[in-house]
Amino acid sequence: MDMRSKARTLPGPVTDPSQLPKWNYDGSSTGQAPGEDSEVILYPQAIFKDPFRRGNNILVMCDAYTPAGEPIPTNKRHAAAKVFSHPDVAAEVPWYGIEQEYTLLQKDVKWPVGWPIGGYPGPQGPYYCGIGADKSFGRDVVDSHYKACLYAGINISGINGEVMPGQWEFQVGPAVGISAADEIWVARYILERITEIAGVVVSFDPKPIPGDWNGAGAHCNYSTKSMREEGGYEIIKKAIDKLGLRHKEHIAAYGEGNERRLTGHHETADINTFLWGVANRGASIRVGRDTEKEGKGYFEDRRPASNMDPYIVTSMIAETTILWNP
């Protein structure tokens, strides 16, 4: 992810990003600006309580701009904010629940924690939501992350061990609009900080181990106001039809290396195929049984990779389902 941070001291407590000054960093050291004009400007966008320093300390989520006020190319938040501030999108109050999968690796060998070095554990089956020293690897890191996110004020709604040993998932949401993406980025940052303390490495690679092992995704659960109200199931079906028409565009924006994960095996649909179904985890889009039964609710886009940019994915889903007219 190449997430970075720096710290500064303020004259007193701050409760809103608007109270914070803009700041800058050396973009030539990050490959984001030339040496002769290296300043990149940080715009504070969201505040969270700091679970590491605690007290009055805060974490500040920023996006980055040129001195002229233009978003730099890696700033995907700027375009997402435009989509979410569109009156038609704001009126639909889009909710997101994002399932962030990740793999914990041994620091020096880049091999999953709990795996024998140079070897493999027993086949998948007992590890998903498993307990025990022979099935669950890294729970201390996972629980520390869970508590830190709760302290920070992130809408972290759960954690579980994943199908591949050494792989875990946390869920953020429901969160409205751009705040879902802000919270995923800050939750990823907190996870990187905790793995740093623990001496392990977190990988967001969508297929960290080739072969008969599950990959890592970032399934995106989504609903709009219309979908949550009576008759919402028809709105959901229309939204899914729109997503199908733009399948290739979405896949291209849903994370690097995703073709190694979306094979049609290991609970995925093939990358070139768009299909949806009720309770089907081998589909591109899964609709829950409860949504079908109640005739309203949400659906799950199972295509995004674990390394996806949440600003791109959340705003693209909103833009396609609410603003785009085929």
Side-chain angles (χ1 to χ4, degrees), residues 95-101 155 157-158 169-175 177 179-185 188 217-222 304-305 308-311 313-314:
W95 286 8
Y96 296 90
I98 299 170
E99 305 171 34
Q100 176 69 68
E101 295 178 346
N155 286 304
S157 41
E169 173 187 296
F170 66 88
Q171 303 95 30
V172 164
S179 64
D182 285 340
E183 291 186 17
I184 277 286
W185 270 125
R188 284 173 171 176
H219 303 155
C220 192
N221 299 278
Y222 170 73
M308 62 85 171
D309 186 317
Y311 294 120
V313 170
T314 56

PDB file of all heavy atoms in Angstrom, residues 95-101 155 157-158 169-175 177 179-185 188 217-222 304-305 308-311 313-314:
ATOM      1  N   TRP A  95     -24.867   3.231   1.543  1.00  0.00           N
ATOM      2  CA  TRP A  95     -24.219   2.541   2.655  1.00  0.00           C
ATOM      3  C   TRP A  95     -23.227   1.526   2.102  1.00  0.00           C
ATOM      4  O   TRP A  95     -23.517   0.836   1.118  1.00  0.00           O
ATOM      5  CB  TRP A  95     -25.237   1.768   3.492  1.00  0.00           C
ATOM      6  CG  TRP A  95     -26.122   2.585   4.377  1.00  0.00           C
ATOM      7  CD1 TRP A  95     -26.229   3.942   4.428  1.00  0.00           C
ATOM      8  CD2 TRP A  95     -27.064   2.078   5.330  1.00  0.00           C
ATOM      9  NE1 TRP A  95     -27.167   4.317   5.350  1.00  0.00           N
ATOM     10  CE2 TRP A  95     -27.701   3.190   5.916  1.00  0.00           C
ATOM     11  CE3 TRP A  95     -27.439   0.809   5.735  1.00  0.00           C
ATOM     12  CZ2 TRP A  95     -28.683   3.050   6.900  1.00  0.00           C
ATOM     13  CZ3 TRP A  95     -28.417   0.659   6.707  1.00  0.00           C
ATOM     14  CH2 TRP A  95     -29.027   1.782   7.292  1.00  0.00           C
ATOM     15  N   TYR A  96     -22.090   1.410   2.769  1.00  0.00           N
ATOM     16  CA  TYR A  96     -21.085   0.422   2.393  1.00  0.00           C
ATOM     17  C   TYR A  96     -20.667  -0.389   3.613  1.00  0.00           C
ATOM     18  O   TYR A  96     -20.527   0.155   4.706  1.00  0.00           O
ATOM     19  CB  TYR A  96     -19.835   1.106   1.823  1.00  0.00           C
ATOM     20  CG  TYR A  96     -20.093   1.848   0.544  1.00  0.00           C
ATOM     21  CD1 TYR A  96     -20.473   3.197   0.562  1.00  0.00           C
ATOM     22  CD2 TYR A  96     -19.968   1.225  -0.694  1.00  0.00           C
ATOM     23  CE1 TYR A  96     -20.729   3.879  -0.609  1.00  0.00           C
ATOM     24  CE2 TYR A  96     -20.221   1.899  -1.876  1.00  0.00           C
ATOM     25  CZ  TYR A  96     -20.599   3.226  -1.819  1.00  0.00           C
ATOM     26  OH  TYR A  96     -20.863   3.904  -2.987  1.00  0.00           O
ATOM     27  N   GLY A  97     -20.469  -1.674   3.380  1.00  0.00           N
ATOM     28  CA  GLY A  97     -19.824  -2.545   4.354  1.00  0.00           C
ATOM     29  C   GLY A  97     -18.716  -3.264   3.609  1.00  0.00           C
ATOM     30  O   GLY A  97     -18.978  -4.015   2.671  1.00  0.00           O
ATOM     31  N   ILE A  98     -17.473  -3.007   3.986  1.00  0.00           N
ATOM     32  CA  ILE A  98     -16.330  -3.545   3.230  1.00  0.00           C
ATOM     33  C   ILE A  98     -15.631  -4.621   4.044  1.00  0.00           C
ATOM     34  O   ILE A  98     -15.310  -4.417   5.217  1.00  0.00           O
ATOM     35  CB  ILE A  98     -15.353  -2.411   2.848  1.00  0.00           C
ATOM     36  CG1 ILE A  98     -16.080  -1.382   1.965  1.00  0.00           C
ATOM     37  CG2 ILE A  98     -14.131  -2.979   2.110  1.00  0.00           C
ATOM     38  CD1 ILE A  98     -15.303  -0.117   1.713  1.00  0.00           C
ATOM     39  N   GLU A  99     -15.435  -5.789   3.408  1.00  0.00           N
ATOM     40  CA  GLU A  99     -14.777  -6.929   4.054  1.00  0.00           C
ATOM     41  C   GLU A  99     -13.318  -6.965   3.591  1.00  0.00           C
ATOM     42  O   GLU A  99     -13.033  -7.382   2.478  1.00  0.00           O
ATOM     43  CB  GLU A  99     -15.485  -8.232   3.677  1.00  0.00           C
ATOM     44  CG  GLU A  99     -16.981  -8.232   3.990  1.00  0.00           C
ATOM     45  CD  GLU A  99     -17.686  -9.444   3.397  1.00  0.00           C
ATOM     46  OE1 GLU A  99     -17.062 -10.527   3.335  1.00  0.00           O
ATOM     47  OE2 GLU A  99     -18.843  -9.306   2.980  1.00  0.00           O
ATOM     48  N   GLN A 100     -12.426  -6.515   4.438  1.00  0.00           N
ATOM     49  CA  GLN A 100     -11.007  -6.414   4.074  1.00  0.00           C
ATOM     50  C   GLN A 100     -10.250  -7.664   4.497  1.00  0.00           C
ATOM     51  O   GLN A 100     -10.040  -7.911   5.683  1.00  0.00           O
ATOM     52  CB  GLN A 100     -10.388  -5.184   4.739  1.00  0.00           C
ATOM     53  CG  GLN A 100      -8.892  -5.040   4.511  1.00  0.00           C
ATOM     54  CD  GLN A 100      -8.537  -4.711   3.075  1.00  0.00           C
ATOM     55  OE1 GLN A 100      -8.829  -3.634   2.591  1.00  0.00           O
ATOM     56  NE2 GLN A 100      -7.898  -5.661   2.381  1.00  0.00           N
ATOM     57  N   GLU A 101      -9.859  -8.475   3.512  1.00  0.00           N
ATOM     58  CA  GLU A 101      -9.031  -9.644   3.794  1.00  0.00           C
ATOM     59  C   GLU A 101      -7.557  -9.273   3.677  1.00  0.00           C
ATOM     60  O   GLU A 101      -7.183  -8.391   2.908  1.00  0.00           O
ATOM     61  CB  GLU A 101      -9.376 -10.789   2.831  1.00  0.00           C
ATOM     62  CG  GLU A 101     -10.794 -11.313   3.033  1.00  0.00           C
ATOM     63  CD  GLU A 101     -11.182 -12.406   2.057  1.00  0.00           C
ATOM     64  OE1 GLU A 101     -10.483 -12.617   1.037  1.00  0.00           O
ATOM     65  OE2 GLU A 101     -12.215 -13.050   2.310  1.00  0.00           O
ATOM     66  N   ASN A 155     -15.926   2.375  12.323  1.00  0.00           N
ATOM     67  CA  ASN A 155     -17.071   1.462  12.369  1.00  0.00           C
ATOM     68  C   ASN A 155     -16.623   0.048  12.009  1.00  0.00           C
ATOM     69  O   ASN A 155     -17.082  -0.531  11.021  1.00  0.00           O
ATOM     70  CB  ASN A 155     -18.155   1.909  11.378  1.00  0.00           C
ATOM     71  CG  ASN A 155     -18.906   3.121  11.863  1.00  0.00           C
ATOM     72  OD1 ASN A 155     -19.463   3.117  12.946  1.00  0.00           O
ATOM     73  ND2 ASN A 155     -18.915   4.165  11.059  1.00  0.00           N
ATOM     74  N   SER A 157     -16.916  -3.664  12.284  1.00  0.00           N
ATOM     75  CA  SER A 157     -18.094  -4.426  12.705  1.00  0.00           C
ATOM     76  C   SER A 157     -17.803  -5.889  12.960  1.00  0.00           C
ATOM     77  O   SER A 157     -18.693  -6.629  13.357  1.00  0.00           O
ATOM     78  CB  SER A 157     -19.215  -4.274  11.671  1.00  0.00           C
ATOM     79  OG  SER A 157     -18.717  -4.328  10.347  1.00  0.00           O
ATOM     80  N   GLY A 158     -16.560  -6.336  12.739  1.00  0.00           N
ATOM     81  CA  GLY A 158     -16.245  -7.719  13.055  1.00  0.00           C
ATOM     82  C   GLY A 158     -14.906  -8.147  12.489  1.00  0.00           C
ATOM     83  O   GLY A 158     -14.278  -7.422  11.707  1.00  0.00           O
ATOM     84  N   GLU A 169      -9.689 -11.437   8.181  1.00  0.00           N
ATOM     85  CA  GLU A 169     -10.572 -10.426   7.597  1.00  0.00           C
ATOM     86  C   GLU A 169     -11.118  -9.538   8.696  1.00  0.00           C
ATOM     87  O   GLU A 169     -11.411 -10.007   9.796  1.00  0.00           O
ATOM     88  CB  GLU A 169     -11.738 -11.117   6.883  1.00  0.00           C
ATOM     89  CG  GLU A 169     -12.817 -10.171   6.370  1.00  0.00           C
ATOM     90  CD  GLU A 169     -14.020 -10.922   5.814  1.00  0.00           C
ATOM     91  OE1 GLU A 169     -13.862 -11.645   4.813  1.00  0.00           O
ATOM     92  OE2 GLU A 169     -15.121 -10.784   6.389  1.00  0.00           O
ATOM     93  N   PHE A 170     -11.234  -8.238   8.395  1.00  0.00           N
ATOM     94  CA  PHE A 170     -12.034  -7.363   9.246  1.00  0.00           C
ATOM     95  C   PHE A 170     -13.070  -6.668   8.376  1.00  0.00           C
ATOM     96  O   PHE A 170     -12.888  -6.524   7.161  1.00  0.00           O
ATOM     97  CB  PHE A 170     -11.163  -6.349  10.014  1.00  0.00           C
ATOM     98  CG  PHE A 170     -10.449  -5.326   9.177  1.00  0.00           C
ATOM     99  CD1 PHE A 170     -11.069  -4.118   8.828  1.00  0.00           C
ATOM    100  CD2 PHE A 170      -9.139  -5.533   8.742  1.00  0.00           C
ATOM    101  CE1 PHE A 170     -10.407  -3.159   8.075  1.00  0.00           C
ATOM    102  CE2 PHE A 170      -8.469  -4.582   7.995  1.00  0.00           C
ATOM    103  CZ  PHE A 170      -9.110  -3.394   7.653  1.00  0.00           C
ATOM    104  N   GLN A 171     -14.166  -6.284   8.989  1.00  0.00           N
ATOM    105  CA  GLN A 171     -15.238  -5.615   8.251  1.00  0.00           C
ATOM    106  C   GLN A 171     -15.424  -4.200   8.782  1.00  0.00           C
ATOM    107  O   GLN A 171     -15.416  -3.992   9.999  1.00  0.00           O
ATOM    108  CB  GLN A 171     -16.562  -6.380   8.373  1.00  0.00           C
ATOM    109  CG  GLN A 171     -16.507  -7.826   7.897  1.00  0.00           C
ATOM    110  CD  GLN A 171     -16.249  -8.813   9.015  1.00  0.00           C
ATOM    111  OE1 GLN A 171     -16.630  -8.579  10.170  1.00  0.00           O
ATOM    112  NE2 GLN A 171     -15.595  -9.921   8.721  1.00  0.00           N
ATOM    113  N   VAL A 172     -15.559  -3.264   7.870  1.00  0.00           N
ATOM    114  CA  VAL A 172     -15.859  -1.877   8.226  1.00  0.00           C
ATOM    115  C   VAL A 172     -17.223  -1.520   7.649  1.00  0.00           C
ATOM    116  O   VAL A 172     -17.490  -1.730   6.469  1.00  0.00           O
ATOM    117  CB  VAL A 172     -14.781  -0.917   7.680  1.00  0.00           C
ATOM    118  CG1 VAL A 172     -15.279   0.526   7.708  1.00  0.00           C
ATOM    119  CG2 VAL A 172     -13.502  -1.039   8.495  1.00  0.00           C
ATOM    120  N   GLY A 173     -18.102  -0.996   8.507  1.00  0.00           N
ATOM    121  CA  GLY A 173     -19.413  -0.566   8.040  1.00  0.00           C
ATOM    122  C   GLY A 173     -20.512  -1.054   8.974  1.00  0.00           C
ATOM    123  O   GLY A 173     -20.238  -1.796   9.920  1.00  0.00           O
ATOM    124  N   PRO A 174     -21.743  -0.632   8.712  1.00  0.00           N
ATOM    125  CA  PRO A 174     -22.098   0.251   7.599  1.00  0.00           C
ATOM    126  C   PRO A 174     -21.586   1.667   7.815  1.00  0.00           C
ATOM    127  O   PRO A 174     -21.627   2.184   8.929  1.00  0.00           O
ATOM    128  CB  PRO A 174     -23.635   0.204   7.590  1.00  0.00           C
ATOM    129  CG  PRO A 174     -24.030  -0.175   8.985  1.00  0.00           C
ATOM    130  CD  PRO A 174     -22.921  -1.033   9.521  1.00  0.00           C
ATOM    131  N   ALA A 175     -21.097   2.249   6.735  1.00  0.00           N
ATOM    132  CA  ALA A 175     -20.640   3.637   6.742  1.00  0.00           C
ATOM    133  C   ALA A 175     -21.192   4.308   5.492  1.00  0.00           C
ATOM    134  O   ALA A 175     -21.373   3.656   4.457  1.00  0.00           O
ATOM    135  CB  ALA A 175     -19.116   3.697   6.763  1.00  0.00           C
ATOM    136  N   GLY A 177     -21.204   6.766   2.303  1.00  0.00           N
ATOM    137  CA  GLY A 177     -20.441   7.506   1.309  1.00  0.00           C
ATOM    138  C   GLY A 177     -18.942   7.416   1.495  1.00  0.00           C
ATOM    139  O   GLY A 177     -18.381   6.345   1.769  1.00  0.00           O
ATOM    140  N   SER A 179     -17.006   8.295   3.802  1.00  0.00           N
ATOM    141  CA  SER A 179     -16.468   7.923   5.113  1.00  0.00           C
ATOM    142  C   SER A 179     -16.096   6.442   5.157  1.00  0.00           C
ATOM    143  O   SER A 179     -15.184   6.050   5.896  1.00  0.00           O
ATOM    144  CB  SER A 179     -17.458   8.260   6.232  1.00  0.00           C
ATOM    145  OG  SER A 179     -18.640   7.509   6.101  1.00  0.00           O
ATOM    146  N   ALA A 180     -16.771   5.601   4.352  1.00  0.00           N
ATOM    147  CA  ALA A 180     -16.417   4.175   4.310  1.00  0.00           C
ATOM    148  C   ALA A 180     -14.988   3.995   3.819  1.00  0.00           C
ATOM    149  O   ALA A 180     -14.215   3.206   4.374  1.00  0.00           O
ATOM    150  CB  ALA A 180     -17.390   3.415   3.399  1.00  0.00           C
ATOM    151  N   ALA A 181     -14.616   4.745   2.778  1.00  0.00           N
ATOM    152  CA  ALA A 181     -13.258   4.652   2.228  1.00  0.00           C
ATOM    153  C   ALA A 181     -12.236   5.238   3.195  1.00  0.00           C
ATOM    154  O   ALA A 181     -11.153   4.676   3.379  1.00  0.00           O
ATOM    155  CB  ALA A 181     -13.199   5.358   0.876  1.00  0.00           C
ATOM    156  N   ASP A 182     -12.571   6.374   3.817  1.00  0.00           N
ATOM    157  CA  ASP A 182     -11.665   6.956   4.828  1.00  0.00           C
ATOM    158  C   ASP A 182     -11.383   5.937   5.936  1.00  0.00           C
ATOM    159  O   ASP A 182     -10.238   5.766   6.374  1.00  0.00           O
ATOM    160  CB  ASP A 182     -12.291   8.203   5.461  1.00  0.00           C
ATOM    161  CG  ASP A 182     -12.265   9.424   4.543  1.00  0.00           C
ATOM    162  OD1 ASP A 182     -11.458   9.446   3.593  1.00  0.00           O
ATOM    163  OD2 ASP A 182     -13.063  10.355   4.788  1.00  0.00           O
ATOM    164  N   GLU A 183     -12.447   5.263   6.390  1.00  0.00           N
ATOM    165  CA  GLU A 183     -12.292   4.338   7.510  1.00  0.00           C
ATOM    166  C   GLU A 183     -11.483   3.106   7.121  1.00  0.00           C
ATOM    167  O   GLU A 183     -10.702   2.593   7.934  1.00  0.00           O
ATOM    168  CB  GLU A 183     -13.669   3.959   8.063  1.00  0.00           C
ATOM    169  CG  GLU A 183     -14.348   5.135   8.763  1.00  0.00           C
ATOM    170  CD  GLU A 183     -15.650   4.770   9.452  1.00  0.00           C
ATOM    171  OE1 GLU A 183     -15.888   3.570   9.683  1.00  0.00           O
ATOM    172  OE2 GLU A 183     -16.423   5.687   9.765  1.00  0.00           O
ATOM    173  N   ILE A 184     -11.658   2.622   5.903  1.00  0.00           N
ATOM    174  CA  ILE A 184     -10.838   1.481   5.450  1.00  0.00           C
ATOM    175  C   ILE A 184      -9.366   1.870   5.404  1.00  0.00           C
ATOM    176  O   ILE A 184      -8.491   1.121   5.867  1.00  0.00           O
ATOM    177  CB  ILE A 184     -11.315   0.976   4.067  1.00  0.00           C
ATOM    178  CG1 ILE A 184     -12.491   0.028   4.230  1.00  0.00           C
ATOM    179  CG2 ILE A 184     -10.204   0.265   3.305  1.00  0.00           C
ATOM    180  CD1 ILE A 184     -12.144  -1.355   4.769  1.00  0.00           C
ATOM    181  N   TRP A 185      -9.049   3.059   4.860  1.00  0.00           N
ATOM    182  CA  TRP A 185      -7.645   3.480   4.791  1.00  0.00           C
ATOM    183  C   TRP A 185      -7.033   3.602   6.184  1.00  0.00           C
ATOM    184  O   TRP A 185      -5.909   3.166   6.418  1.00  0.00           O
ATOM    185  CB  TRP A 185      -7.512   4.811   4.055  1.00  0.00           C
ATOM    186  CG  TRP A 185      -7.314   4.700   2.580  1.00  0.00           C
ATOM    187  CD1 TRP A 185      -8.075   5.283   1.608  1.00  0.00           C
ATOM    188  CD2 TRP A 185      -6.283   3.980   1.875  1.00  0.00           C
ATOM    189  NE1 TRP A 185      -7.580   4.963   0.367  1.00  0.00           N
ATOM    190  CE2 TRP A 185      -6.484   4.169   0.502  1.00  0.00           C
ATOM    191  CE3 TRP A 185      -5.214   3.186   2.295  1.00  0.00           C
ATOM    192  CZ2 TRP A 185      -5.663   3.601  -0.480  1.00  0.00           C
ATOM    193  CZ3 TRP A 185      -4.390   2.618   1.327  1.00  0.00           C
ATOM    194  CH2 TRP A 185      -4.624   2.830  -0.029  1.00  0.00           C
ATOM    195  N   ARG A 188      -6.509   0.206   7.701  1.00  0.00           N
ATOM    196  CA  ARG A 188      -5.309  -0.408   7.111  1.00  0.00           C
ATOM    197  C   ARG A 188      -4.045   0.176   7.743  1.00  0.00           C
ATOM    198  O   ARG A 188      -3.096  -0.544   8.042  1.00  0.00           O
ATOM    199  CB  ARG A 188      -5.282  -0.156   5.600  1.00  0.00           C
ATOM    200  CG  ARG A 188      -6.242  -1.014   4.787  1.00  0.00           C
ATOM    201  CD  ARG A 188      -6.242  -0.528   3.336  1.00  0.00           C
ATOM    202  NE  ARG A 188      -6.966  -1.411   2.438  1.00  0.00           N
ATOM    203  CZ  ARG A 188      -7.166  -1.159   1.150  1.00  0.00           C
ATOM    204  NH1 ARG A 188      -6.695  -0.038   0.616  1.00  0.00           N
ATOM    205  NH2 ARG A 188      -7.823  -2.022   0.390  1.00  0.00           N
ATOM    206  N   GLY A 217      -9.721 -10.929  -0.938  1.00  0.00           N
ATOM    207  CA  GLY A 217     -10.539  -9.910  -1.598  1.00  0.00           C
ATOM    208  C   GLY A 217     -10.914  -8.792  -0.640  1.00  0.00           C
ATOM    209  O   GLY A 217     -10.471  -8.747   0.507  1.00  0.00           O
ATOM    210  N   ALA A 218     -11.722  -7.883  -1.164  1.00  0.00           N
ATOM    211  CA  ALA A 218     -12.308  -6.820  -0.338  1.00  0.00           C
ATOM    212  C   ALA A 218     -13.761  -6.668  -0.786  1.00  0.00           C
ATOM    213  O   ALA A 218     -14.129  -5.706  -1.449  1.00  0.00           O
ATOM    214  CB  ALA A 218     -11.544  -5.513  -0.483  1.00  0.00           C
ATOM    215  N   HIS A 219     -14.556  -7.681  -0.458  1.00  0.00           N
ATOM    216  CA  HIS A 219     -15.959  -7.687  -0.879  1.00  0.00           C
ATOM    217  C   HIS A 219     -16.645  -6.411  -0.397  1.00  0.00           C
ATOM    218  O   HIS A 219     -16.425  -5.962   0.721  1.00  0.00           O
ATOM    219  CB  HIS A 219     -16.694  -8.894  -0.303  1.00  0.00           C
ATOM    220  CG  HIS A 219     -16.066 -10.209  -0.665  1.00  0.00           C
ATOM    221  ND1 HIS A 219     -16.223 -11.345   0.093  1.00  0.00           N
ATOM    222  CD2 HIS A 219     -15.268 -10.560  -1.705  1.00  0.00           C
ATOM    223  CE1 HIS A 219     -15.550 -12.340  -0.461  1.00  0.00           C
ATOM    224  NE2 HIS A 219     -14.952 -11.883  -1.553  1.00  0.00           N
ATOM    225  N   CYS A 220     -17.462  -5.845  -1.271  1.00  0.00           N
ATOM    226  CA  CYS A 220     -18.100  -4.560  -0.975  1.00  0.00           C
ATOM    227  C   CYS A 220     -19.613  -4.735  -0.919  1.00  0.00           C
ATOM    228  O   CYS A 220     -20.260  -4.982  -1.944  1.00  0.00           O
ATOM    229  CB  CYS A 220     -17.709  -3.545  -2.057  1.00  0.00           C
ATOM    230  SG  CYS A 220     -18.154  -1.863  -1.628  1.00  0.00           S
ATOM    231  N   ASN A 221     -20.170  -4.660   0.295  1.00  0.00           N
ATOM    232  CA  ASN A 221     -21.615  -4.731   0.478  1.00  0.00           C
ATOM    233  C   ASN A 221     -22.191  -3.323   0.329  1.00  0.00           C
ATOM    234  O   ASN A 221     -21.647  -2.373   0.884  1.00  0.00           O
ATOM    235  CB  ASN A 221     -21.934  -5.295   1.862  1.00  0.00           C
ATOM    236  CG  ASN A 221     -21.386  -6.705   2.032  1.00  0.00           C
ATOM    237  OD1 ASN A 221     -21.998  -7.665   1.597  1.00  0.00           O
ATOM    238  ND2 ASN A 221     -20.213  -6.825   2.649  1.00  0.00           N
ATOM    239  N   TYR A 222     -23.300  -3.219  -0.401  1.00  0.00           N
ATOM    240  CA  TYR A 222     -23.758  -1.898  -0.843  1.00  0.00           C
ATOM    241  C   TYR A 222     -25.278  -1.833  -0.857  1.00  0.00           C
ATOM    242  O   TYR A 222     -25.953  -2.802  -1.226  1.00  0.00           O
ATOM    243  CB  TYR A 222     -23.213  -1.658  -2.250  1.00  0.00           C
ATOM    244  CG  TYR A 222     -23.755  -0.450  -2.976  1.00  0.00           C
ATOM    245  CD1 TYR A 222     -23.377   0.842  -2.602  1.00  0.00           C
ATOM    246  CD2 TYR A 222     -24.615  -0.592  -4.059  1.00  0.00           C
ATOM    247  CE1 TYR A 222     -23.851   1.951  -3.289  1.00  0.00           C
ATOM    248  CE2 TYR A 222     -25.090   0.512  -4.755  1.00  0.00           C
ATOM    249  CZ  TYR A 222     -24.711   1.785  -4.373  1.00  0.00           C
ATOM    250  OH  TYR A 222     -25.177   2.879  -5.048  1.00  0.00           O
ATOM    251  N   PRO A 304     -13.915  -6.917  -5.996  1.00  0.00           N
ATOM    252  CA  PRO A 304     -12.718  -6.139  -5.619  1.00  0.00           C
ATOM    253  C   PRO A 304     -11.641  -6.977  -4.934  1.00  0.00           C
ATOM    254  O   PRO A 304     -11.937  -7.846  -4.108  1.00  0.00           O
ATOM    255  CB  PRO A 304     -13.275  -5.074  -4.667  1.00  0.00           C
ATOM    256  CG  PRO A 304     -14.710  -4.923  -5.063  1.00  0.00           C
ATOM    257  CD  PRO A 304     -15.143  -6.306  -5.452  1.00  0.00           C
ATOM    258  N   ALA A 305     -10.391  -6.706  -5.289  1.00  0.00           N
ATOM    259  CA  ALA A 305      -9.247  -7.382  -4.679  1.00  0.00           C
ATOM    260  C   ALA A 305      -8.931  -6.752  -3.329  1.00  0.00           C
ATOM    261  O   ALA A 305      -9.320  -5.618  -3.039  1.00  0.00           O
ATOM    262  CB  ALA A 305      -8.030  -7.281  -5.604  1.00  0.00           C
ATOM    263  N   MET A 308      -7.500  -3.205  -3.388  1.00  0.00           N
ATOM    264  CA  MET A 308      -8.253  -2.163  -4.115  1.00  0.00           C
ATOM    265  C   MET A 308      -8.148  -0.820  -3.397  1.00  0.00           C
ATOM    266  O   MET A 308      -7.938  -0.747  -2.188  1.00  0.00           O
ATOM    267  CB  MET A 308      -9.720  -2.589  -4.264  1.00  0.00           C
ATOM    268  CG  MET A 308     -10.484  -2.768  -2.970  1.00  0.00           C
ATOM    269  SD  MET A 308     -11.202  -1.240  -2.310  1.00  0.00           S
ATOM    270  CE  MET A 308     -12.234  -1.851  -0.980  1.00  0.00           C
ATOM    271  N   ASP A 309      -8.338   0.253  -4.176  1.00  0.00           N
ATOM    272  CA  ASP A 309      -8.431   1.593  -3.593  1.00  0.00           C
ATOM    273  C   ASP A 309      -9.903   1.834  -3.243  1.00  0.00           C
ATOM    274  O   ASP A 309     -10.747   1.890  -4.133  1.00  0.00           O
ATOM    275  CB  ASP A 309      -7.944   2.650  -4.585  1.00  0.00           C
ATOM    276  CG  ASP A 309      -7.881   4.041  -3.962  1.00  0.00           C
ATOM    277  OD1 ASP A 309      -8.827   4.414  -3.238  1.00  0.00           O
ATOM    278  OD2 ASP A 309      -6.890   4.759  -4.207  1.00  0.00           O
ATOM    279  N   PRO A 310     -10.237   1.963  -1.953  1.00  0.00           N
ATOM    280  CA  PRO A 310     -11.648   2.085  -1.581  1.00  0.00           C
ATOM    281  C   PRO A 310     -12.320   3.345  -2.122  1.00  0.00           C
ATOM    282  O   PRO A 310     -13.536   3.355  -2.314  1.00  0.00           O
ATOM    283  CB  PRO A 310     -11.620   2.083  -0.056  1.00  0.00           C
ATOM    284  CG  PRO A 310     -10.228   2.471   0.315  1.00  0.00           C
ATOM    285  CD  PRO A 310      -9.351   1.975  -0.775  1.00  0.00           C
ATOM    286  N   TYR A 311     -11.544   4.410  -2.378  1.00  0.00           N
ATOM    287  CA  TYR A 311     -12.148   5.609  -2.980  1.00  0.00           C
ATOM    288  C   TYR A 311     -12.631   5.307  -4.391  1.00  0.00           C
ATOM    289  O   TYR A 311     -13.718   5.727  -4.800  1.00  0.00           O
ATOM    290  CB  TYR A 311     -11.150   6.769  -2.999  1.00  0.00           C
ATOM    291  CG  TYR A 311     -10.767   7.258  -1.629  1.00  0.00           C
ATOM    292  CD1 TYR A 311      -9.445   7.226  -1.197  1.00  0.00           C
ATOM    293  CD2 TYR A 311     -11.738   7.726  -0.744  1.00  0.00           C
ATOM    294  CE1 TYR A 311      -9.091   7.656   0.068  1.00  0.00           C
ATOM    295  CE2 TYR A 311     -11.397   8.159   0.524  1.00  0.00           C
ATOM    296  CZ  TYR A 311     -10.076   8.123   0.932  1.00  0.00           C
ATOM    297  OH  TYR A 311      -9.739   8.539   2.192  1.00  0.00           O
ATOM    298  N   VAL A 313     -13.354   2.221  -5.708  1.00  0.00           N
ATOM    299  CA  VAL A 313     -14.401   1.192  -5.742  1.00  0.00           C
ATOM    300  C   VAL A 313     -15.743   1.739  -5.245  1.00  0.00           C
ATOM    301  O   VAL A 313     -16.776   1.564  -5.909  1.00  0.00           O
ATOM    302  CB  VAL A 313     -13.971  -0.050  -4.929  1.00  0.00           C
ATOM    303  CG1 VAL A 313     -15.133  -1.024  -4.745  1.00  0.00           C
ATOM    304  CG2 VAL A 313     -12.812  -0.752  -5.631  1.00  0.00           C
ATOM    305  N   THR A 314     -15.757   2.419  -4.098  1.00  0.00           N
ATOM    306  CA  THR A 314     -17.038   2.899  -3.566  1.00  0.00           C
ATOM    307  C   THR A 314     -17.676   3.943  -4.472  1.00  0.00           C
ATOM    308  O   THR A 314     -18.874   3.887  -4.756  1.00  0.00           O
ATOM    309  CB  THR A 314     -16.864   3.486  -2.150  1.00  0.00           C
ATOM    310  OG1 THR A 314     -15.883   4.524  -2.173  1.00  0.00           O
ATOM    311  CG2 THR A 314     -16.466   2.412  -1.156  1.00  0.00           C
TER     312      THR A 314
END
